Amino acid sequence: KAGVTQTPRYLIKTRGQQVTLSCSPISGHRSVSWYQQTPGQGLQFLFEYFSETQRNKGNFPGRFSGRQFSNSRSEMNVSTLELGDSALYLCASSLAGSGGASDTQYFGPGTRLTVL
Amino acid sequence: AQSVTQLDSQVPVFEEAPVELRCNYSSSVSVYLFWYVQYPNQGLQLLLKYLSGSTLVKGINGFEAEFNKSQTSFHLRKPSVHISDTAEYFCAVSPIKAAGNKLTFGGGTRVLVKP
């Protein structure tokens, strides 16, 4: 079974631009979560999507948004980029059965975003 | 709200020596506990998780962790490390009654295994 894939792997943008990151979950997984990893703040939860609906949300400004498609693939968008948005963005998928919080999350390799 | 503290940011250890990575958490609700490993330039991989039952949990690659509810700790151990265990290790929690996934991570512990 193929793992979680994220595209692109590397991205360079300038301040003020917007960016869209893509995540394809493991086949059969219905939940997709996004995390931001930075040296200063560590790993922080952005949001989780399940059945095309945002089910959980972290403490990030509205510039960060996402969506999930009917095939469970997910995209994350960041508008009006700031220097502080430079980070590794990780996507994780899980089966999201009845015990959602206990599900193992499988992480992709991440997208490295650099904002200049 | 939950918080996770990993008490050591870096742990140097010689090959074949034992290692212990410490994790303490704070939560007003019951949580599940997880340890993940991140190898250079890769995503995170689950090592083990505690859901319920025996407080000693065995995971992949010879790792184990012990849940201590009274001390709110979940320390990770390996009796004999290999060079390939050089990586960053993250402790995480998730509220049991949460609908879905929302992991809160600690700051990570970098393990450097020396020959």
Side-chain angles (χ1 to χ4, degrees):
Chain A
K1 217 181 232 186
V4 178
T5 57
Q6 293 186 245
T7 56
R9 292 292 311 277
Y10 301 91
L11 207 48
I12 300 175
K13 293 287 187 178
T14 56
R15 279 182 300 175
Q17 287 187 311
Q18 75 165 17
V19 67
T20 299
L21 312 182
S22 180
C23 172
S24 292
I26 291 172
S27 177
H29 285 193
R30 298 167 64 194
S31 166
V32 174
S33 299
W34 289 89
Y35 295 84
Q36 181 196 64
Q37 185 176 24
T38 60
Q41 299 298 317
L43 277 157
Q44 294 184 285
F45 173 78
L46 279 155
F47 30 66
E48 181 213 7
Y49 284 86
F50 175 71
S51 290
E52 301 178 62
T53 301
Q54 187 179 85
R55 183 161 65 172
N56 284 294
K57 188 177 187 304
N59 297 321
F60 278 80
R63 299 186 298 106
F64 292 82
S65 64
R67 60 178 175 168
Q68 186 180 35
F69 302 94
S70 58
N71 62 357
S72 293
R73 190 177 69 86
S74 177
E75 288 182 347
M76 186 193 122
N77 184 276
V78 188
S79 62
T80 319
L81 283 165
E82 300 177 359
L83 295 178
D85 297 333
S86 293
L88 181 67
Y89 290 89
L90 292 163
C91 164
S93 75
S94 69
L95 282 169
S98 58
S102 63
D103 281 352
T104 295
Q105 292 192 52
Y106 295 84
F107 285 78
T111 293
R112 173 80 58 190
L113 172 65
T114 302
V115 182
L116 302 175
Chain B
Q2 293 77 47
S3 68
V4 179
T5 303
Q6 292 184 238
L7 298 159
D8 305 294
S9 60
Q10 293 190 65
V11 173
V13 57
F14 286 105
E15 194 174 15
E16 297 183 8
V19 70
E20 178 180 79
L21 308 184
R22 298 178 293 169
C23 171
N24 286 93
Y25 69 94
S26 172
S27 176
S28 56
V29 299
S30 296
V31 294
Y32 295 126
L33 299 118
F34 305 80
W35 273 100
Y36 281 85
V37 61
Q38 186 176 33
Y39 298 104
N41 300 314
Q42 295 186 28
L44 279 70
Q45 179 183 6
L46 180 72
L47 281 175
L48 48 81
K49 59 183 177 182
Y50 175 76
L51 304 182
S52 65
S54 172
T55 57
L56 183 62
V57 181
K58 292 191 183 298
I60 63 171
N61 301 340
F63 285 93
E64 63 181 33
E66 184 141 27
F67 170 56
N68 187 316
K69 188 173 182 178
S70 62
Q71 297 186 4
T72 60
S73 68
F74 190 52
H75 301 333
L76 180 71
R77 301 185 186 95
K78 185 169 182 177
S80 176
V81 297
H82 301 128
I83 296 289
S84 58
D85 291 321
T86 294
E88 189 157 21
Y89 294 77
F90 294 92
C91 181
V93 301
S94 180
I96 287 175
K97 292 190 175 178
N101 299 302
K102 187 176 181 181
L103 289 169
T104 299
F105 285 93
T109 298
R110 288 188 185 275
V111 173
L112 175 60
V113 181
K114 304 176 183 180

